Amino acid sequence: MTETEATGYDCLSSCLVPESELRTFLLDCFGIAECELFVGHDDRVAERLRDIPQDVVFSVFCTYRQVFGHFAMGFDVGVEGRSAERVGRREFAERFAAHFDTYVLYGDTEPPGLWTVIFADGIRLRAAMDEEDNRYVLYAATAPVPGLPEVRVDEGLWRLR
């Protein structure tokens, strides 16, 4: 039997989720115990880990930050193998989008420079984005993005490999 390696789910969300709600979601999503989860703001990780023994391993390790542009929150979720087997990257983004009624940008198997955006209803599209100084702005997508009429529709993004 092949064991799944640890991985990371890096995402952007169109809404800013309070830490307590993010914690509850992650516990439920991955079906883990409180002691297996770390959640902390990017700026306070070292402070939050100061009193935790260095040999403690978390099944899910999540840091988050506020971002700007078309997204409000960025978060990175380190996921150990057995948790990644339970919930893959795409399923995680789908669950997050549906749970928080938001759209989520994530990367998986897209060509370099392109991303997947998933909406609360499960609809997915491919998108291109500019990012600079913690500001993330979509400039093209394979379908209209609700609430963002300035994002150019380019169905040709699906054909890029």
Side-chain angles (χ1 to χ4, degrees), residues 3 16 36 67 70 79 84 105 108 111:
E3 218 173 282
L16 187 60
E36 296 179 275
V67 299
H70 292 151
V79 184
L105 178 137
D108 195 7

Side-chain angles (χ1 to χ4, degrees), residues 108-158:
D108 195 7
T109 59
E110 306 83 2
L114 296 179
W115 308 93
T116 295
V117 176
I118 191 148
F119 296 93
D121 60 5
I123 292 175
R124 290 181 309 122
L125 53 86
R126 188 172 277 176
M129 168 179 69
D130 285 327
E131 52 184 289
E132 185 178 331
D133 297 328
N134 227 15
R135 182 174 180 76
Y136 301 88
V137 177
L138 299 175
Y139 64 84
T142 53
V145 179
L148 300 177
E150 70 276 14
V151 177
R152 178 175 49 88
V153 174
D154 181 352
E155 292 180 10
L157 295 176
W158 286 121

Side-chain angles (χ1 to χ4, degrees), residues 45-115:
V45 172
E47 175 186 322
R48 298 275 306 275
L49 290 173
R50 185 180 11 226
D51 297 329
I52 297 174
Q54 289 186 358
D55 61 344
V56 170
V57 177
F58 297 96
S59 295
V60 177
F61 190 96
C62 177
T63 60
Y64 65 92
R65 67 199 176 284
Q66 184 173 3
V67 299
F68 304 95
H70 292 151
F71 299 92
M73 176 182 183
F75 55 100
D76 305 319
V77 184
V79 184
E80 59 87 31
R82 78 182 157 89
S83 292
E85 286 175 1
R86 279 191 221 130
V87 182
R89 182 175 283 113
R90 178 177 172 178
E91 183 181 355
F92 175 79
E94 289 171 342
R95 287 183 183 192
F96 190 98
H99 183 84
F100 293 109
D101 192 24
T102 187
Y103 57 89
V104 174
L105 178 137
Y106 70 100
D108 195 7
T109 59
E110 306 83 2
L114 296 179
W115 308 93

